Structures are given as structure tokens and as C-alpha cells.
Amino acid sequence: MDERGAGTPWHELEGVAAGREEVPGLLRGLRIPGLRRSSWARLEKLIGWQSDEPLFVEVTGRLIELLPRLDRRRRALALGLLARRAQGIGERRVGVHRPTFLAFAARAHHLVPLVSDPSARVRTGASWALRELGHEDPTTLDALRRQAAVERDPTALVSHLLAVGVLSGTGDRAAAAEWARAWLDHRHPLVRLAAARVVLLRAAPGGAEGTGRRVAGVFAEIGTGLLPVVPWFPEGYATMDRFAVQVAAHPREGEALVEGLARHRDPALRTQAVRAAALQLRSWRHPAAHLWETVAGGLEDEPEVAGEALMALADCGKAAAPYADRIVRALQRPAGRVWPDSHAAVRALVHIGDRRAVPPYREMLGDSFLKVGALPVHWAPELLPVFRDRLAHGPGAPGADRVLRILAQWGPAAAPAVPELSDLLDGRAARPAAEALGRIGPAASAAAGALAGLARGDVVPWRFGPGGERSPKPWQGAQTAAWAYWRVTGDPELALGAGGPAARAGFGRPVLRYLADLGPLAAPYADSVRALLDSPGEWTRVGAAEAWWRITGDPAPAVTALLPELAPLAEHRVTEVTLRTVRALGAIGPPAAAALPALRAVVAGPPRRYGASFLMDEELLRDAREALDRISGP
């Protein structure tokens, strides 16, 4: 015991990791008048607040236990450090973070009484730490609710409300939403915002009435900057973006939020209205017409609003076609020619299929930030000259990798580029060049000799360019070259010789795709393909199912392997694997009848879109309809 009677027993402090002998003394100094300030400053500097070292884990536990015995100021300081370190700790329960999480979790009960501490800073920090820790316990929730009912400090009240919202379990969701409604009309805007967030987070669909209007009102009052919930949280309170995402799950509230901000005099708020409207468009298949008009109207607003509108329309596919003229005008404005607005405008026009995208696309071809997928094949005559010129400058030319992907997608229409593609077969772009030549087919017969040499291993492409060095190891693209040789010449020998052993070795993509193309010609390797139907990789399972069906014509094993990959649809999720599965089942036809319920649910017109992408939902809807037609038959 300290000689002045204010210390802490040594047996409570001596467990600190060796090598930092001063730490016990610093912890003890937090309770000794005259040493409190220096001890705290040294302790905070010594252990920091982002460390997962054993020292911090030990000090964390000791500090939590000391909290009730510290004076009010030191308690607030210590809790501030602990709350900073608790940020996100509930989501980091494994790996190097686990010891720290366990140190917090084992002593969380020490924090619960501090929710009603006389100090508002302590109350704020205690609620924040419990929330981040995810301490779901009835006692904790009761303490938070009781304190919220009498809380006078707005920052502490915000912390209590958010903690209840996060910690309310599945069974308490509706009750938590109803409980938080009492603060939706609080005098302080941040309290109203926190209450709205709890309601949006916990209310059932359609049960968040009034939150959209209130959130719009708060942001109209306080603007769009960072909102401080607690003094130590460096990123501030969740800004408008977070609320737009949460409101998106409640369409009526989303519409109210957009209406409340769309005509505000502040362009920053109008920008947020466009963003919120775009989230509604991505979330629901039949959004209100005024949401589309809010986004389209933004194209003629201030540059920052127009840029947000272009970003919103960039991934709306053909649904943005009615606004193509406005998109073109926005692109022609001085501000519209600046990245990323110009890229978004071109992307929108490409997805619409509007030829006015061709000139700016040609100008931006070398820009690595231009994210545009497939181009319509009927644009080939206009774009092939610039594509060929780009490839003639070698694989390192800006945009060359994008050109190779597009040429492969175009297939036979890319035949004029065969000379440039052939020249790339002896360099680092040999594999995508071979892929494109294979997609072109017989029109690329001039490259047959070079493809055969690569497939047999007679030639290994230069690693970095002519005159450099060739790898002493077998080239990894031999399967692609062998498949391309078959596509170009019709001779399957090399493709079977390269793909079959790869399938036996358990390789998945892309060999399964090539074997599927070979169809019955790959029958000698059917057993190897079937073994991959139980692969742990979802892409390999789907690829093996496609290959098995196309090689053998036996649908049962393929359908059995494919059906589980539709499971994400039940949760309104969709991935590239899901899309490929739907297409594969459609190709199988009537034997895939077991997939009909899932596919019918997709096309039956559910209000919510699948996944987070407008384009992916549209693609899923198109593929599901085609699959239904094929499976159901005439």
C-alpha cells in the first residue's frame, strides 16, 4: 500500500508485462495527488491507444478495474482512452486483436455502473465503450434506458441512444425502435438524429414513419459536415451518407428525405438529396418517379450536384435512357469534362448504348480510372482503328489491357485486329491476346502457328518485352493458347492435351471453361471434371457443373451442384457466381426444373432489387427470364 494511503495494493498491479517496470507506478500515481497529471500523460504516451501489445492488454484490464476509484477528472481521461481503443473492438474479435477484446469483455460489467456517473464525459464514454464492445446484456440495456430517460447532456444522450440501438438483440428490435421514438422531436438536432438512426436501424420495413422528414430537417439545420458524437471520435458522427443508406431500406422515408433536401438552397444538401435518391433507385425496382427526376434535375444544377447526378446515372443501365440528352449536355459543360464526372457520363452513355459515348470514350481510352464494361459490338467499326493503333504500341500502352478484354468480348467482329493481336503473342500480354484470338475463331487462322508453339511449350513469351528474358518455367498460359488453337483451326488435339491433365490435377478456372467449350470431345476427362463438382471453391463447382453437362449431357450431377449456388437469392443477394449459375441452369433446360421456384421469385416483381448494384439486378432479371423460358419449355 502506498505510504500516503492513497495507493492501490501492489498485488493488483504487479501483473503488468515485464520490461515496463514504470507502468505499475504510473497506474498507482493516477490516485496520488500531485502525481495524477504527470502519471496520466506518461501512461498515455507509453501505451498509446492503437496497440495490441501484451502491455496494452494488461493495462486495459487494470485501468477498467481502477475506474471506480479514480477522481472524476482522471476517470474521464481514462475512460476516454478506453473508449477510443474500444472503437470497433466488437468487430475485431480474432487474430492479434482478440486479447484486447477479451480484456474489455471480461471487465465490461465495471463499465455498466458508470453509465449513470455524475460526469457527463464519463457517462458518454461508458455508453460508447459498451456499444463498441457489443455487450448485449439485459442489465446493460436497462441501465442505458434508465439513464437516457433522465439524461440532460445531449452528447451523453446521443451515446446512450446509439448504444441501445446497437445492443438490442433480434427480439428487441421493434421495441428498441419504438423506445427511441420518444426523442425524435428532441430540442437538440443531434439527439433527434441519433433517435432516427435507432428507429431506422431497428424498425421493421414500413415501421420507420416520420424519420425521413426528421433527418432531412436536421441536416437542413446543421449542414453536412462531421457531427461530433463524442470528443475523442476523430471521424465524427455518421454524416448524411450513412443515413441515406439506412433510409434506403424504408422507401417512403427515403422519398421524404429526398423531398426535404432536393430544393434546399445549399448545394451540398442538394447533392445529398441526389445521392439519397440514387440509393433508392438502386434499392427498389419501382421507385417513385420524382426520385428519377431529382437525379436527372441535378444534371443541370451546380457542378457538385451535377457530378453526383452523373455518378448516380452511370450505373443505371438502359433505365437512364430518357435522360441521355441531359447527360450529354452535362458532359459538354466545362465542369463535366473533369474526372470523375466525365468518366461517369461516358459510363452512363455506354450502358445506355448511346453512340454519343464513342468520341469521348476514344479520348479517355488510356485513362486507367475509366471503368466501363462491355461495349456494344456494333460500335466495332468506329473503335477498331483506335484499338489497333493502341495495340500496335505494345502491351504497355495505356488502355491496352482494356482493349484486349473488349476484343475478346466482340469475338469475330474483332477480326481486323488479328495482326496486332498476333504480334502480342511473344510478350507479357500473350495470354489475353490468345484469348481474344480464340474468341475471333477461324478468321484468326494466321496466328495458328504461333498459338501452337505456345501450347506445346516450344516458345515461352518474353517476360518483360523483346530482348529481356524468357522464364525458365513452363508458361502458365499454355491451356489458353491450346484452346485458342482449337477455336482457330478446329483441331482439338492440343486443347485436350493441355486441358485434360490440368483437370486431373484439380485445376479449376479457366481449364473448365475450355473443356466445356470442347464438349463431348473432352469425354476422356469427364471423371476428372466430375470430381471437381465437390470442390470447396464456388467458381470451380459451377465451372465443373457446366463442363460436366456440356461434355456428357448428363444433367443430374450438374443440377445438384448448381442449385446450392442460388441460396444467396433468398437473401436478395447476388454475385457473379450467382449470375453464372442462373445461366448454366438455363442452358441445361427442363432437367433443371428444381430451380424454377427460385427463378420465379426473382422475376415475380419483388419490390427490392437483388444485390447492391442496379446493373447486376437488371442482369439477374434478364438471365432469370431467359432461364425460365428455357427450363419451362415451349
Side-chain angles (χ1 to χ4, degrees):
M1 185 71 68
D2 178 76
E3 61 184 4
R4 283 171 285 188
T8 300
W10 274 106
H11 70 271
E12 295 186 16
L13 301 173
E14 290 177 331
V16 175
R20 302 288 181 90
E21 292 80 1
E22 62 181 315
V23 171
L26 293 174
L27 286 170
R28 186 174 55 174
L30 294 178
R31 299 194 60 221
I32 300 176
L35 296 179
R36 293 170 179 171
R37 177 178 299 180
S38 60
S39 296
W40 176 255
R42 177 62 184 153
L43 185 65
E44 189 170 26
K45 182 178 179 180
L46 188 65
I47 65 175
W49 61 276
Q50 290 184 329
S51 171
D52 284 297
E53 296 179 359
L55 175 67
F56 182 88
V57 174
E58 183 66 28
V59 172
T60 294
R62 302 295 184 181
L63 210 47
I64 292 176
E65 294 171 359
L66 279 175
L67 286 173
R69 286 175 280 173
L70 297 178
D71 68 278
R72 182 176 300 182
R73 174 174 168 75
R74 230 54 56 183
R75 185 184 304 164
L77 288 172
L79 197 49
L81 181 142
L82 293 168
R84 287 201 305 265
R85 189 58 189 88
Q87 174 66 29
I89 194 65
E91 300 172 2
R92 302 193 302 270
R93 305 187 178 198
V94 296
V96 296
H97 306 294
R98 184 164 180 76
T100 306
F101 168 76
L102 293 176
F104 271 96
R107 298 168 175 85
H109 60 280
H110 290 292
L111 299 174
V112 176
L114 300 180
V115 168
S116 56
D117 190 88
S119 168
R121 289 182 62 190
V122 171
R123 297 195 301 272
T124 302
S127 296
W128 182 268
L130 289 167
R131 169 199 172 198
E132 293 300 313
L133 184 61
H135 188 62
E136 296 183 8
D137 179 80
T139 303
T140 301
L141 280 171
D142 288 344
L144 289 166
R145 290 192 180 107
R146 284 196 305 271
Q147 184 58 35
V150 298
E151 184 60 68
R152 294 183 177 276
D153 182 83
T155 302
L157 180 54
V158 166
S159 195
H160 303 329
L161 291 172
L162 295 179
V164 171
V166 169
L167 300 180
S168 297
T170 305
D172 295 325
R173 292 175 66 93
E178 191 60 33
W179 172 82
R181 283 185 171 279
W183 288 274
L184 284 177
D185 294 311
H186 193 274
R187 59 182 176 78
H188 197 284
L190 297 189
V191 174
R192 299 199 298 274
L193 209 54
R197 184 172 173 184
V198 175
V199 174
L200 291 168
L201 179 66
R202 292 302 183 184
E209 297 90 349
T211 52
R213 174 175 55 83
R214 287 176 171 87
V215 170
V218 170
F219 280 101
E221 178 180 344
I222 65 177
T224 59
L226 294 177
L227 311 177
V229 174
V230 288
W232 54 78
F233 187 27
E235 297 179 11
Y237 192 85
T239 53
M240 181 66 199
D241 290 350
R242 175 74 62 84
F243 285 93
V245 171
Q246 292 177 336
V247 172
H250 305 272
R252 291 185 179 178
E253 302 313 309
E255 294 170 16
L257 174 64
V258 173
E259 288 178 354
L261 299 178
R263 294 178 179 81
H264 198 276
R265 64 180 181 276
D266 184 354
L269 287 172
R270 297 199 300 276
T271 300
Q272 294 295 340
V274 170
R275 186 171 300 175
L279 282 168
Q280 290 289 318
L281 298 180
R282 289 201 295 267
S283 301
W284 304 96
R285 285 184 171 173
H286 305 290
H290 77 84
L291 295 175
W292 280 107
E293 189 52 42
T294 297
V295 174
L299 294 171
E300 299 166 349
D301 204 326
E302 299 288 337
E304 61 184 294
V305 186
E308 191 64 44
L310 287 171
M311 295 295 291
L313 293 171
D315 295 314
C316 287
K318 296 190 180 300
Y323 314 108
D325 291 343
R326 295 199 217 181
I327 293 171
V328 172
R329 287 197 297 270
L331 178 60
Q332 292 170 345
R333 293 167 63 181
R337 297 181 178 275
V338 178
W339 177 85
D341 298 356
S342 58
H343 290 188
V346 171
R347 195 161 73 243
L349 293 172
V350 167
H351 291 156
I352 291 170
D354 193 308
R355 283 184 178 273
R356 288 175 288 183
V358 172
Y361 181 85
R362 281 197 299 252
E363 295 177 11
M364 302 175 191
L365 179 60
D367 195 328
S368 61
F369 292 102
L370 180 62
K371 305 298 181 184
V372 175
L375 299 179
V377 68
H378 59 270
W379 292 2
E382 298 175 74
L383 289 172
L384 273 173
V386 69
F387 282 4
R388 295 181 65 184
D389 179 71
R390 192 57 52 98
L391 294 182
H393 286 82
D401 54 343
R402 183 182 300 119
V403 168
L404 289 169
R405 289 195 298 270
I406 294 171
L407 294 178
Q409 293 164 358
W410 282 352
V418 166
E420 289 77 20
L421 291 170
S422 299
D423 290 342
L424 296 177
L425 291 176
D426 196 18
R428 65 185 187 186
R431 191 169 192 163
E435 180 83 26
L437 289 165
R439 293 298 171 196
I440 291 171
S445 59
L451 290 170
L454 291 170
R456 289 192 296 260
D458 298 340
V459 180
V460 175
W462 297 104
R463 296 180 66 183
F464 304 108
E469 63 176 354
R470 299 184 187 272
S471 174
K473 300 178 181 179
W475 182 50
Q476 297 299 310
Q479 298 161 21
T480 303
W483 165 83
Y485 179 81
W486 166 66
R487 293 270 303 174
V488 166
T489 66
D491 181 356
E493 182 179 355
L494 288 175
L496 292 171
R504 282 180 179 152
F507 298 154
R509 303 165 66 194
V511 65
L512 290 169
R513 176 162 51 91
Y514 300 152
L515 292 175
D517 282 352
L518 286 163
L521 293 172
Y525 306 105
D527 290 342
S528 299
V529 170
R530 180 159 187 169
L532 295 174
L533 292 173
D534 297 321
S535 170
E538 55 186 6
W539 277 107
T540 299
R541 292 194 301 270
V542 173
E546 287 184 287
W548 172 263
W549 158 247
R550 294 177 63 179
I551 291 170
T552 67
D554 178 12
V559 172
T560 300
L562 290 170
L563 287 176
E565 306 306 328
L566 297 178
L569 296 177
E571 301 175 359
H572 270 74
R573 294 186 295 110
V574 59
T575 65
E576 291 292 343
V577 178
T578 314
L579 294 175
R580 185 170 174 180
T581 300
V582 170
R583 291 191 287 266
L585 289 165
I588 292 173
L596 287 174
L599 297 175
R600 285 172 178 153
V602 171
V603 303
R608 283 180 56 199
R609 292 193 182 277
Y610 286 78
S613 165
F614 191 107
L615 291 174
M616 189 166 282
D617 179 72
E618 293 293 307
E619 187 175 358
L620 172 65
L621 193 58
R622 182 174 59 252
D623 291 344
R625 285 171 175 161
E626 292 178 3
L628 275 175
D629 290 342
R630 292 183 177 184
I631 296 172
S632 301

